[in-house]
Amino acid sequence: MTTATVTPDAVSDAIATHTDHSPVLAVRDLKKTYGPGCPDCLTLTGPEHNRTTCPSCGTVVACADVSFDLRPGRTLGIVGESGSGKTTVLRSLYGDIEPTSGTAVLNTPGKEPRDLFTLDSQDRRRVRNFEMGMVYQTPRQGLNFGISAGGNVAERLLAADWREIAKIRGRAGELLERMEIPVNRMNAMPGTFSGGMQQRVQVAKALANGPLILLLDEMTSGLDVSVQAGVLDLIQEIQHEANIALIVVSHDLGVVRLLCERAIVMKNGRIVERGITDQILEDPHHPYTQLLVSSVNS
Amino acid sequence: MSAISPTTPEDQLDTLPGYNYAFLDELSKKAVRRATLKAICIPGYQVPFGSRELPISRGWGTGGLQLTLSLIGPGDVVKVIDQGADDSVNAVNIRRLVERTAPDVSTTTDTAEATIIQSRHRTPELKLRQDQIMVYQVPMPEPLRLVERREVETRRMHGEGDYSLMWVALYEDIVRNGRITRAAGYPVMVHHRHIMSPSPIPKWDLPKLHMAENISLFGAGREKRIYAIPPHTSVVPLAFEDYAFEVESFEGKSCAFCGATDTFLVATPQADGSSYYVCSDTAWCADRIAQQEQEGAAK
């Protein structure tokens, strides 16, 4: 862990007058590679070479040297083009994929800090159920289409040992209503819902057990613009209400600008720029960020 | 009872020529017993085992039969029931196989007399003792199969105790039908750890498994699994606080033969559209009739 180096995050944190300085999630040197690997993999890939595949051994370096802190109730955006490794980072944190190396220390109030990547599968699942919520790009990844919308939300509550149907129905109904799903659709199958509604059910499910961190993986990319705006508004409200820390992965700078105080720009599996979102978007330093920003504005 | 069966020379025992004692060879019986011991050590856990070929087809009680054959020894008394009845073709054939390959083992229809009871679909009404072993024939050992098709995934769920999908299935059942409609093979939580399929016995029989005096063994020959409930083990049917577990109700009905109102009854439809009910456990019913006759004669 390279805790001694002063990161831009640390600088901006000093600016922000926030009392709680311990991050809820501290990610250090996260790396995920696919292939045999060789000593030159890391030096021969990255944005300066504009490639993620090692020319020497053919290993794909999906992401490397990814470090950041996420503070309680704060928001972080990860932007970058397809294949830049942003989803890899998110999936590793949620436990969908096993990272090659690195640490991600989760700091749950009232508990010892734990490294997510060394937890056993049972604890890992508990973290997925209680401390984290994930909203996937496509509803099919996050929802079970064989059970009702209410059942999808209830699954989380049942995993948390809720054993009273009336209470489960009450809580699931509350969550769905908060996400503007009519209660009379609670027993309907997600397949009968519109795309925007399906995404809102995913959010309700992710929020069921009151997570510390909510992970959004391109959640609005499949929605049309007006529906997108509605969903984003809801996310913003929920985030303020419940004070949930948020990691938003998106290739859409508008989404990140709206939701995130701070952002990370990724390219070819590395972080090329980081800082306060507005700063990055108004005054991009890295050539790739400049390209990204100008391509949106033009 | 469950001592290692002797490899007696054929001329000493009047067994079928060319066949080993209790049909299976000694090493096969040993392998089945080893799996059984492991199953008893981890209540409710499905132990894989090398299911052997038998003179009956897989799916016709071969799992239960392998358990029975691997356990019997001199002096054992075997009872075989099929849906509660001792006289069904399948039960009669299994009993005959035991008689002909293990001459020093006797068979019975009397529940109290039996040391090993092999059963399909029922638990006897009579409370079993510590010195009795219950052997169930299981068609589908995996309780999670209905909610998850992948074997790798169901094993992970058992391993991690991740049973939320099973609970969601019950939740959905209640939402759609107003109650849990599952009748036979109702999932139970064994020893507060593993969800287990109690084989297709009716809900009526589940309370008999909880904290029972006897060992219950479950054999699935086609699916190659053995699992067990040791004596004095907690067996709790899955249910919700506001939707409690209930056994079948036979209110207002009684057995047409013995008049019992406290047993599991089976309905026989009549030509006029009505049904008459009889005890599913034929041995229990016959016992009660004999008792009534005795009392009648005494008067």
Side-chain angles (χ1 to χ4, degrees), chain A residues 151 154-155 157-169, chain B residues 163-175 178-181 186-187 236-246:
Chain A
E155 190 197 327
L157 302 171
L158 290 161
D161 291 330
W162 290 50
R163 291 289 178 266
E164 207 180 323
I165 292 286
K167 278 191 190 159
I168 294 167
R169 301 270 304 160
Chain B
Y163 290 131
S164 55
L165 266 186
M166 187 81 215
W167 284 104
V168 171
L170 298 178
Y171 164 93
E172 289 281 295
D173 201 3
I174 290 172
V175 165
R179 64 190 179 90
I180 299 174
T181 53
Y186 192 98
V236 182
L238 301 189
F240 292 94
E241 277 165 36
D242 45 352
Y243 284 82
F245 171 79
E246 278 171 7

mmCIF file of all heavy atoms in Angstrom, chain A residues 151 154-155 157-169, chain B residues 163-175 178-181 186-187 236-246:
data_model
loop_
_atom_site.group_PDB
_atom_site.id
_atom_site.type_symbol
_atom_site.label_atom_id
_atom_site.label_comp_id
_atom_site.label_asym_id
_atom_site.label_seq_id
_atom_site.Cartn_x
_atom_site.Cartn_y
_atom_site.Cartn_z
ATOM 1 N N GLY A 151 -40.602 -9.637 -5.318
ATOM 2 C CA GLY A 151 -39.767 -10.770 -4.936
ATOM 3 C C GLY A 151 -38.292 -10.470 -5.092
ATOM 4 O O GLY A 151 -37.464 -10.888 -4.272
ATOM 5 N N ALA A 154 -37.472 -8.430 -2.223
ATOM 6 C CA ALA A 154 -37.612 -9.263 -1.025
ATOM 7 C C ALA A 154 -36.418 -10.196 -0.844
ATOM 8 O O ALA A 154 -36.044 -10.523 0.277
ATOM 9 C CB ALA A 154 -38.902 -10.072 -1.101
ATOM 10 N N GLU A 155 -35.818 -10.611 -1.967
ATOM 11 C CA GLU A 155 -34.683 -11.543 -1.873
ATOM 12 C C GLU A 155 -33.609 -10.989 -0.945
ATOM 13 O O GLU A 155 -33.039 -11.705 -0.131
ATOM 14 C CB GLU A 155 -34.103 -11.787 -3.269
ATOM 15 C CG GLU A 155 -33.089 -12.911 -3.269
ATOM 16 C CD GLU A 155 -32.208 -12.935 -4.497
ATOM 17 O OE1 GLU A 155 -32.670 -12.574 -5.590
ATOM 18 O OE2 GLU A 155 -31.028 -13.297 -4.340
ATOM 19 N N LEU A 157 -34.019 -8.822 1.480
ATOM 20 C CA LEU A 157 -34.512 -8.796 2.859
ATOM 21 C C LEU A 157 -34.493 -10.195 3.446
ATOM 22 O O LEU A 157 -34.156 -10.394 4.616
ATOM 23 C CB LEU A 157 -35.935 -8.221 2.892
ATOM 24 C CG LEU A 157 -36.073 -6.809 2.304
ATOM 25 C CD1 LEU A 157 -37.530 -6.424 2.173
ATOM 26 C CD2 LEU A 157 -35.333 -5.801 3.169
ATOM 27 N N LEU A 158 -34.833 -11.198 2.606
ATOM 28 C CA LEU A 158 -34.831 -12.588 3.076
ATOM 29 C C LEU A 158 -33.407 -13.031 3.384
ATOM 30 O O LEU A 158 -33.163 -13.793 4.319
ATOM 31 C CB LEU A 158 -35.465 -13.491 2.017
ATOM 32 C CG LEU A 158 -36.976 -13.301 1.852
ATOM 33 C CD1 LEU A 158 -37.457 -13.851 0.525
ATOM 34 C CD2 LEU A 158 -37.714 -13.968 3.000
ATOM 35 N N ALA A 159 -32.454 -12.533 2.577
ATOM 36 C CA ALA A 159 -31.050 -12.854 2.835
ATOM 37 C C ALA A 159 -30.615 -12.257 4.171
ATOM 38 O O ALA A 159 -29.688 -12.744 4.818
ATOM 39 C CB ALA A 159 -30.167 -12.334 1.702
ATOM 40 N N ALA A 160 -31.303 -11.187 4.591
ATOM 41 C CA ALA A 160 -30.992 -10.547 5.874
ATOM 42 C C ALA A 160 -31.876 -11.104 6.983
ATOM 43 O O ALA A 160 -32.089 -10.453 8.000
ATOM 44 C CB ALA A 160 -31.182 -9.042 5.755
ATOM 45 N N ASP A 161 -32.413 -12.321 6.743
ATOM 46 C CA ASP A 161 -33.191 -13.053 7.751
ATOM 47 C C ASP A 161 -34.510 -12.396 8.139
ATOM 48 O O ASP A 161 -34.973 -12.553 9.260
ATOM 49 C CB ASP A 161 -32.356 -13.324 9.012
ATOM 50 C CG ASP A 161 -31.245 -14.325 8.743
ATOM 51 O OD1 ASP A 161 -31.456 -15.178 7.855
ATOM 52 O OD2 ASP A 161 -30.190 -14.244 9.377
ATOM 53 N N TRP A 162 -35.126 -11.646 7.232
ATOM 54 C CA TRP A 162 -36.493 -11.184 7.483
ATOM 55 C C TRP A 162 -37.395 -12.385 7.283
ATOM 56 O O TRP A 162 -37.325 -13.051 6.252
ATOM 57 C CB TRP A 162 -36.892 -10.072 6.502
ATOM 58 C CG TRP A 162 -36.212 -8.771 6.706
ATOM 59 C CD1 TRP A 162 -34.882 -8.556 6.851
ATOM 60 C CD2 TRP A 162 -36.824 -7.476 6.762
ATOM 61 N NE1 TRP A 162 -34.618 -7.211 6.991
ATOM 62 C CE2 TRP A 162 -35.793 -6.533 6.941
ATOM 63 C CE3 TRP A 162 -38.148 -7.026 6.677
ATOM 64 C CZ2 TRP A 162 -36.050 -5.158 7.034
ATOM 65 C CZ3 TRP A 162 -38.395 -5.671 6.763
ATOM 66 C CH2 TRP A 162 -37.353 -4.741 6.951
ATOM 67 N N ARG A 163 -38.251 -12.678 8.259
ATOM 68 C CA ARG A 163 -39.065 -13.886 8.160
ATOM 69 C C ARG A 163 -40.542 -13.596 8.427
ATOM 70 O O ARG A 163 -41.259 -14.428 8.946
ATOM 71 C CB ARG A 163 -38.556 -14.950 9.156
ATOM 72 C CG ARG A 163 -37.206 -15.539 8.825
ATOM 73 C CD ARG A 163 -37.251 -16.445 7.602
ATOM 74 N NE ARG A 163 -35.922 -16.946 7.283
ATOM 75 C CZ ARG A 163 -35.086 -16.388 6.414
ATOM 76 N NH1 ARG A 163 -35.445 -15.302 5.739
ATOM 77 N NH2 ARG A 163 -33.901 -16.905 6.199
ATOM 78 N N GLU A 164 -40.980 -12.384 8.115
ATOM 79 C CA GLU A 164 -42.395 -12.074 8.282
ATOM 80 C C GLU A 164 -42.900 -11.441 6.999
ATOM 81 O O GLU A 164 -42.474 -10.346 6.626
ATOM 82 C CB GLU A 164 -42.573 -11.134 9.484
ATOM 83 C CG GLU A 164 -43.938 -11.275 10.123
ATOM 84 C CD GLU A 164 -44.081 -10.333 11.300
ATOM 85 O OE1 GLU A 164 -43.090 -10.136 12.034
ATOM 86 O OE2 GLU A 164 -45.183 -9.783 11.465
ATOM 87 N N ILE A 165 -43.796 -12.162 6.334
ATOM 88 C CA ILE A 165 -44.249 -11.732 5.010
ATOM 89 C C ILE A 165 -44.790 -10.299 5.040
ATOM 90 O O ILE A 165 -44.459 -9.483 4.181
ATOM 91 C CB ILE A 165 -45.325 -12.699 4.470
ATOM 92 C CG1 ILE A 165 -44.699 -14.065 4.173
ATOM 93 C CG2 ILE A 165 -46.005 -12.152 3.233
ATOM 94 C CD1 ILE A 165 -43.841 -14.122 2.937
ATOM 95 N N ALA A 166 -45.590 -9.975 6.037
ATOM 96 C CA ALA A 166 -46.205 -8.649 6.088
ATOM 97 C C ALA A 166 -45.138 -7.553 6.128
ATOM 98 O O ALA A 166 -45.225 -6.556 5.410
ATOM 99 C CB ALA A 166 -47.128 -8.552 7.295
ATOM 100 N N LYS A 167 -44.123 -7.762 6.964
ATOM 101 C CA LYS A 167 -43.049 -6.758 7.072
ATOM 102 C C LYS A 167 -42.244 -6.672 5.788
ATOM 103 O O LYS A 167 -41.875 -5.583 5.347
ATOM 104 C CB LYS A 167 -42.117 -7.113 8.234
ATOM 105 C CG LYS A 167 -42.635 -6.672 9.584
ATOM 106 C CD LYS A 167 -41.540 -6.816 10.616
ATOM 107 C CE LYS A 167 -42.108 -6.623 12.020
ATOM 108 N NZ LYS A 167 -41.243 -7.220 13.045
ATOM 109 N N ILE A 168 -41.955 -7.836 5.185
ATOM 110 C CA ILE A 168 -41.180 -7.871 3.945
ATOM 111 C C ILE A 168 -41.930 -7.128 2.849
ATOM 112 O O ILE A 168 -41.370 -6.294 2.141
ATOM 113 C CB ILE A 168 -40.924 -9.332 3.507
ATOM 114 C CG1 ILE A 168 -40.023 -10.036 4.524
ATOM 115 C CG2 ILE A 168 -40.312 -9.397 2.120
ATOM 116 C CD1 ILE A 168 -39.954 -11.537 4.355
ATOM 117 N N ARG A 169 -43.250 -7.411 2.750
ATOM 118 C CA ARG A 169 -44.073 -6.753 1.741
ATOM 119 C C ARG A 169 -44.093 -5.240 1.975
ATOM 120 O O ARG A 169 -44.030 -4.454 1.036
ATOM 121 C CB ARG A 169 -45.511 -7.278 1.793
ATOM 122 C CG ARG A 169 -45.639 -8.761 1.568
ATOM 123 C CD ARG A 169 -45.812 -9.139 0.148
ATOM 124 N NE ARG A 169 -46.937 -8.522 -0.530
ATOM 125 C CZ ARG A 169 -47.020 -8.423 -1.846
ATOM 126 N NH1 ARG A 169 -46.022 -8.854 -2.589
ATOM 127 N NH2 ARG A 169 -48.056 -7.876 -2.412
ATOM 128 N N TYR B 163 -29.362 -19.223 1.244
ATOM 129 C CA TYR B 163 -30.634 -19.836 0.877
ATOM 130 C C TYR B 163 -31.699 -18.814 0.501
ATOM 131 O O TYR B 163 -32.887 -19.126 0.501
ATOM 132 C CB TYR B 163 -31.132 -20.708 2.038
ATOM 133 C CG TYR B 163 -30.302 -21.958 2.238
ATOM 134 C CD1 TYR B 163 -29.832 -22.319 3.499
ATOM 135 C CD2 TYR B 163 -29.989 -22.776 1.162
ATOM 136 C CE1 TYR B 163 -29.068 -23.467 3.675
ATOM 137 C CE2 TYR B 163 -29.228 -23.920 1.333
ATOM 138 C CZ TYR B 163 -28.779 -24.267 2.582
ATOM 139 O OH TYR B 163 -28.036 -25.396 2.757
ATOM 140 N N SER B 164 -31.280 -17.573 0.188
ATOM 141 C CA SER B 164 -32.304 -16.546 -0.059
ATOM 142 C C SER B 164 -33.188 -16.911 -1.254
ATOM 143 O O SER B 164 -34.369 -16.601 -1.260
ATOM 144 C CB SER B 164 -31.664 -15.175 -0.248
ATOM 145 O OG SER B 164 -30.705 -15.211 -1.255
ATOM 146 N N LEU B 165 -32.644 -17.609 -2.261
ATOM 147 C CA LEU B 165 -33.459 -17.972 -3.433
ATOM 148 C C LEU B 165 -34.593 -18.917 -3.046
ATOM 149 O O LEU B 165 -35.702 -18.829 -3.562
ATOM 150 C CB LEU B 165 -32.586 -18.649 -4.492
ATOM 151 C CG LEU B 165 -32.008 -17.761 -5.587
ATOM 152 C CD1 LEU B 165 -31.309 -18.604 -6.632
ATOM 153 C CD2 LEU B 165 -33.079 -16.908 -6.245
ATOM 154 N N MET B 166 -34.291 -19.842 -2.140
ATOM 155 C CA MET B 166 -35.319 -20.778 -1.674
ATOM 156 C C MET B 166 -36.424 -20.004 -0.951
ATOM 157 O O MET B 166 -37.611 -20.244 -1.172
ATOM 158 C CB MET B 166 -34.663 -21.768 -0.711
ATOM 159 C CG MET B 166 -35.558 -22.874 -0.279
ATOM 160 S SD MET B 166 -35.612 -24.143 -1.559
ATOM 161 C CE MET B 166 -37.298 -24.656 -1.383
ATOM 162 N N TRP B 167 -35.999 -19.063 -0.103
ATOM 163 C CA TRP B 167 -36.980 -18.256 0.633
ATOM 164 C C TRP B 167 -37.813 -17.402 -0.321
ATOM 165 O O TRP B 167 -39.015 -17.216 -0.121
ATOM 166 C CB TRP B 167 -36.269 -17.372 1.659
ATOM 167 C CG TRP B 167 -35.828 -18.139 2.864
ATOM 168 C CD1 TRP B 167 -34.557 -18.543 3.152
ATOM 169 C CD2 TRP B 167 -36.646 -18.593 3.958
ATOM 170 N NE1 TRP B 167 -34.544 -19.232 4.347
ATOM 171 C CE2 TRP B 167 -35.799 -19.271 4.864
ATOM 172 C CE3 TRP B 167 -38.001 -18.493 4.245
ATOM 173 C CZ2 TRP B 167 -36.271 -19.844 6.042
ATOM 174 C CZ3 TRP B 167 -38.476 -19.067 5.417
ATOM 175 C CH2 TRP B 167 -37.609 -19.729 6.295
ATOM 176 N N VAL B 168 -37.167 -16.879 -1.382
ATOM 177 C CA VAL B 168 -37.913 -16.072 -2.349
ATOM 178 C C VAL B 168 -38.973 -16.923 -3.031
ATOM 179 O O VAL B 168 -40.091 -16.470 -3.254
ATOM 180 C CB VAL B 168 -36.965 -15.447 -3.396
ATOM 181 C CG1 VAL B 168 -37.757 -14.810 -4.518
ATOM 182 C CG2 VAL B 168 -36.071 -14.415 -2.752
ATOM 183 N N ALA B 169 -38.624 -18.188 -3.328
ATOM 184 C CA ALA B 169 -39.600 -19.076 -3.966
ATOM 185 C C ALA B 169 -40.821 -19.241 -3.062
ATOM 186 O O ALA B 169 -41.961 -19.231 -3.544
ATOM 187 C CB ALA B 169 -38.959 -20.426 -4.260
ATOM 188 N N LEU B 170 -40.596 -19.383 -1.750
ATOM 189 C CA LEU B 170 -41.724 -19.512 -0.822
ATOM 190 C C LEU B 170 -42.512 -18.202 -0.756
ATOM 191 O O LEU B 170 -43.741 -18.203 -0.717
ATOM 192 C CB LEU B 170 -41.220 -19.901 0.574
ATOM 193 C CG LEU B 170 -40.506 -21.251 0.672
ATOM 194 C CD1 LEU B 170 -40.019 -21.488 2.096
ATOM 195 C CD2 LEU B 170 -41.409 -22.381 0.239
ATOM 196 N N TYR B 171 -41.776 -17.075 -0.757
ATOM 197 C CA TYR B 171 -42.415 -15.748 -0.763
ATOM 198 C C TYR B 171 -43.333 -15.612 -1.978
ATOM 199 O O TYR B 171 -44.494 -15.216 -1.871
ATOM 200 C CB TYR B 171 -41.337 -14.656 -0.767
ATOM 201 C CG TYR B 171 -41.836 -13.276 -1.149
ATOM 202 C CD1 TYR B 171 -42.256 -12.369 -0.183
ATOM 203 C CD2 TYR B 171 -41.870 -12.880 -2.486
ATOM 204 C CE1 TYR B 171 -42.721 -11.115 -0.534
ATOM 205 C CE2 TYR B 171 -42.332 -11.636 -2.849
ATOM 206 C CZ TYR B 171 -42.754 -10.750 -1.872
ATOM 207 O OH TYR B 171 -43.213 -9.513 -2.236
ATOM 208 N N GLU B 172 -42.800 -15.979 -3.156
ATOM 209 C CA GLU B 172 -43.577 -15.864 -4.400
ATOM 210 C C GLU B 172 -44.820 -16.748 -4.347
ATOM 211 O O GLU B 172 -45.890 -16.366 -4.817
ATOM 212 C CB GLU B 172 -42.706 -16.273 -5.591
ATOM 213 C CG GLU B 172 -41.626 -15.269 -5.919
ATOM 214 C CD GLU B 172 -42.150 -14.075 -6.706
ATOM 215 O OE1 GLU B 172 -42.589 -14.268 -7.835
ATOM 216 O OE2 GLU B 172 -42.120 -12.958 -6.174
ATOM 217 N N ASP B 173 -44.657 -17.935 -3.761
ATOM 218 C CA ASP B 173 -45.773 -18.869 -3.626
ATOM 219 C C ASP B 173 -46.891 -18.221 -2.800
ATOM 220 O O ASP B 173 -48.073 -18.252 -3.180
ATOM 221 C CB ASP B 173 -45.268 -20.144 -2.937
ATOM 222 C CG ASP B 173 -46.169 -21.338 -3.205
ATOM 223 O OD1 ASP B 173 -47.144 -21.183 -3.962
ATOM 224 O OD2 ASP B 173 -45.905 -22.414 -2.651
ATOM 225 N N ILE B 174 -46.513 -17.595 -1.695
ATOM 226 C CA ILE B 174 -47.497 -16.947 -0.827
ATOM 227 C C ILE B 174 -48.156 -15.772 -1.541
ATOM 228 O O ILE B 174 -49.377 -15.604 -1.504
ATOM 229 C CB ILE B 174 -46.836 -16.488 0.490
ATOM 230 C CG1 ILE B 174 -46.482 -17.710 1.340
ATOM 231 C CG2 ILE B 174 -47.753 -15.534 1.260
ATOM 232 C CD1 ILE B 174 -45.670 -17.398 2.566
ATOM 233 N N VAL B 175 -47.337 -14.984 -2.254
ATOM 234 C CA VAL B 175 -47.886 -13.817 -2.956
ATOM 235 C C VAL B 175 -48.898 -14.260 -4.014
ATOM 236 O O VAL B 175 -49.952 -13.660 -4.178
ATOM 237 C CB VAL B 175 -46.737 -13.006 -3.602
ATOM 238 C CG1 VAL B 175 -47.281 -12.028 -4.621
ATOM 239 C CG2 VAL B 175 -45.937 -12.283 -2.532
ATOM 240 N N GLY B 178 -51.452 -17.233 -1.805
ATOM 241 C CA GLY B 178 -51.960 -16.960 -0.468
ATOM 242 C C GLY B 178 -51.463 -17.919 0.592
ATOM 243 O O GLY B 178 -51.785 -17.779 1.768
ATOM 244 N N ARG B 179 -50.717 -18.937 0.187
ATOM 245 C CA ARG B 179 -50.146 -19.877 1.152
ATOM 246 C C ARG B 179 -49.014 -20.624 0.465
ATOM 247 O O ARG B 179 -48.844 -20.526 -0.754
ATOM 248 C CB ARG B 179 -51.200 -20.873 1.643
ATOM 249 C CG ARG B 179 -51.716 -21.758 0.528
ATOM 250 C CD ARG B 179 -52.923 -22.583 0.924
ATOM 251 N NE ARG B 179 -53.360 -23.382 -0.205
ATOM 252 C CZ ARG B 179 -52.931 -24.600 -0.473
ATOM 253 N NH1 ARG B 179 -52.048 -25.192 0.313
ATOM 254 N NH2 ARG B 179 -53.360 -25.265 -1.529
ATOM 255 N N ILE B 180 -48.250 -21.397 1.246
ATOM 256 C CA ILE B 180 -47.202 -22.219 0.648
ATOM 257 C C ILE B 180 -47.858 -23.497 0.143
ATOM 258 O O ILE B 180 -48.429 -24.260 0.909
ATOM 259 C CB ILE B 180 -46.082 -22.517 1.669
ATOM 260 C CG1 ILE B 180 -45.430 -21.197 2.123
ATOM 261 C CG2 ILE B 180 -45.042 -23.434 1.051
ATOM 262 C CD1 ILE B 180 -44.421 -21.349 3.233
ATOM 263 N N THR B 181 -47.812 -23.695 -1.182
ATOM 264 C CA THR B 181 -48.578 -24.792 -1.780
ATOM 265 C C THR B 181 -47.803 -26.104 -1.819
ATOM 266 O O THR B 181 -48.373 -27.134 -2.127
ATOM 267 C CB THR B 181 -48.988 -24.436 -3.218
ATOM 268 O OG1 THR B 181 -47.820 -24.060 -3.936
ATOM 269 C CG2 THR B 181 -49.988 -23.308 -3.235
ATOM 270 N N TYR B 186 -41.537 -31.135 1.145
ATOM 271 C CA TYR B 186 -41.484 -29.770 1.696
ATOM 272 C C TYR B 186 -40.097 -29.505 2.299
ATOM 273 O O TYR B 186 -39.616 -30.299 3.107
ATOM 274 C CB TYR B 186 -42.556 -29.651 2.770
ATOM 275 C CG TYR B 186 -42.829 -28.246 3.239
ATOM 276 C CD1 TYR B 186 -43.899 -27.529 2.734
ATOM 277 C CD2 TYR B 186 -42.012 -27.651 4.191
ATOM 278 C CE1 TYR B 186 -44.159 -26.247 3.171
ATOM 279 C CE2 TYR B 186 -42.260 -26.366 4.622
ATOM 280 C CZ TYR B 186 -43.339 -25.660 4.116
ATOM 281 O OH TYR B 186 -43.583 -24.399 4.549
ATOM 282 N N PRO B 187 -39.427 -28.413 1.907
ATOM 283 C CA PRO B 187 -38.041 -28.218 2.373
ATOM 284 C C PRO B 187 -37.955 -27.996 3.885
ATOM 285 O O PRO B 187 -38.786 -27.314 4.469
ATOM 286 C CB PRO B 187 -37.589 -26.967 1.619
ATOM 287 C CG PRO B 187 -38.847 -26.274 1.223
ATOM 288 C CD PRO B 187 -39.881 -27.332 1.030
ATOM 289 N N VAL B 236 -36.590 -28.439 11.013
ATOM 290 C CA VAL B 236 -37.641 -27.418 11.032
ATOM 291 C C VAL B 236 -38.102 -27.104 9.606
ATOM 292 O O VAL B 236 -37.300 -26.676 8.783
ATOM 293 C CB VAL B 236 -37.129 -26.124 11.706
ATOM 294 C CG1 VAL B 236 -38.236 -25.087 11.770
ATOM 295 C CG2 VAL B 236 -36.579 -26.411 13.090
ATOM 296 N N PRO B 237 -39.386 -27.320 9.310
ATOM 297 C CA PRO B 237 -39.905 -26.959 7.984
ATOM 298 C C PRO B 237 -39.798 -25.449 7.778
ATOM 299 O O PRO B 237 -40.058 -24.668 8.699
ATOM 300 C CB PRO B 237 -41.375 -27.390 8.047
ATOM 301 C CG PRO B 237 -41.483 -28.310 9.215
ATOM 302 C CD PRO B 237 -40.432 -27.899 10.181
ATOM 303 N N LEU B 238 -39.401 -25.025 6.570
ATOM 304 C CA LEU B 238 -39.281 -23.597 6.293
ATOM 305 C C LEU B 238 -40.669 -22.952 6.333
ATOM 306 O O LEU B 238 -41.614 -23.477 5.748
ATOM 307 C CB LEU B 238 -38.663 -23.367 4.918
ATOM 308 C CG LEU B 238 -37.269 -23.943 4.659
ATOM 309 C CD1 LEU B 238 -36.740 -23.428 3.326
ATOM 310 C CD2 LEU B 238 -36.294 -23.596 5.765
ATOM 311 N N ALA B 239 -40.767 -21.841 7.032
ATOM 312 C CA ALA B 239 -42.047 -21.134 7.106
ATOM 313 C C ALA B 239 -41.781 -19.701 7.554
ATOM 314 O O ALA B 239 -40.687 -19.377 8.009
ATOM 315 C CB ALA B 239 -42.984 -21.825 8.079
ATOM 316 N N PHE B 240 -42.794 -18.856 7.403
ATOM 317 C CA PHE B 240 -42.674 -17.474 7.836
ATOM 318 C C PHE B 240 -43.410 -17.278 9.149
ATOM 319 O O PHE B 240 -44.307 -18.061 9.488
ATOM 320 C CB PHE B 240 -43.244 -16.536 6.771
ATOM 321 C CG PHE B 240 -42.424 -16.503 5.522
ATOM 322 C CD1 PHE B 240 -42.725 -17.320 4.448
ATOM 323 C CD2 PHE B 240 -41.321 -15.673 5.425
ATOM 324 C CE1 PHE B 240 -41.957 -17.312 3.294
ATOM 325 C CE2 PHE B 240 -40.550 -15.644 4.278
ATOM 326 C CZ PHE B 240 -40.858 -16.462 3.206
ATOM 327 N N GLU B 241 -43.054 -16.216 9.866
ATOM 328 C CA GLU B 241 -43.685 -15.974 11.157
ATOM 329 C C GLU B 241 -45.191 -15.812 11.013
ATOM 330 O O GLU B 241 -45.966 -16.298 11.838
ATOM 331 C CB GLU B 241 -43.089 -14.719 11.816
ATOM 332 C CG GLU B 241 -41.787 -15.010 12.541
ATOM 333 C CD GLU B 241 -41.018 -13.741 12.875
ATOM 334 O OE1 GLU B 241 -41.670 -12.723 13.183
ATOM 335 O OE2 GLU B 241 -39.780 -13.779 12.816
ATOM 336 N N ASP B 242 -45.614 -15.123 9.932
ATOM 337 C CA ASP B 242 -47.044 -14.902 9.759
ATOM 338 C C ASP B 242 -47.678 -15.897 8.788
ATOM 339 O O ASP B 242 -48.855 -15.803 8.487
ATOM 340 C CB ASP B 242 -47.336 -13.454 9.340
ATOM 341 C CG ASP B 242 -46.399 -12.958 8.257
ATOM 342 O OD1 ASP B 242 -45.434 -13.672 7.935
ATOM 343 O OD2 ASP B 242 -46.620 -11.857 7.746
ATOM 344 N N TYR B 243 -46.902 -16.844 8.275
ATOM 345 C CA TYR B 243 -47.448 -17.947 7.478
ATOM 346 C C TYR B 243 -46.818 -19.234 7.998
ATOM 347 O O TYR B 243 -45.884 -19.757 7.420
ATOM 348 C CB TYR B 243 -47.164 -17.760 5.986
ATOM 349 C CG TYR B 243 -48.050 -16.723 5.338
ATOM 350 C CD1 TYR B 243 -47.745 -15.357 5.435
ATOM 351 C CD2 TYR B 243 -49.201 -17.091 4.644
ATOM 352 C CE1 TYR B 243 -48.565 -14.395 4.865
ATOM 353 C CE2 TYR B 243 -50.018 -16.131 4.068
ATOM 354 C CZ TYR B 243 -49.697 -14.794 4.184
ATOM 355 O OH TYR B 243 -50.511 -13.849 3.621
ATOM 356 N N ALA B 244 -47.346 -19.714 9.114
ATOM 357 C CA ALA B 244 -46.726 -20.829 9.812
ATOM 358 C C ALA B 244 -46.903 -22.133 9.051
ATOM 359 O O ALA B 244 -47.809 -22.263 8.234
ATOM 360 C CB ALA B 244 -47.323 -20.963 11.213
ATOM 361 N N PHE B 245 -46.029 -23.075 9.348
ATOM 362 C CA PHE B 245 -46.116 -24.409 8.748
ATOM 363 C C PHE B 245 -47.326 -25.156 9.298
ATOM 364 O O PHE B 245 -47.589 -25.125 10.502
ATOM 365 C CB PHE B 245 -44.829 -25.179 9.063
ATOM 366 C CG PHE B 245 -44.888 -26.626 8.690
ATOM 367 C CD1 PHE B 245 -44.724 -27.025 7.369
ATOM 368 C CD2 PHE B 245 -45.114 -27.598 9.648
ATOM 369 C CE1 PHE B 245 -44.782 -28.363 7.014
ATOM 370 C CE2 PHE B 245 -45.170 -28.939 9.298
ATOM 371 C CZ PHE B 245 -45.007 -29.320 7.986
ATOM 372 N N GLU B 246 -48.065 -25.791 8.423
ATOM 373 C CA GLU B 246 -49.222 -26.573 8.859
ATOM 374 C C GLU B 246 -49.228 -27.922 8.170
ATOM 375 O O GLU B 246 -48.942 -28.010 6.981
ATOM 376 C CB GLU B 246 -50.530 -25.847 8.490
ATOM 377 C CG GLU B 246 -50.923 -24.778 9.473
ATOM 378 C CD GLU B 246 -52.088 -23.943 8.967
ATOM 379 O OE1 GLU B 246 -52.660 -24.288 7.921
ATOM 380 O OE2 GLU B 246 -52.398 -22.943 9.627
#
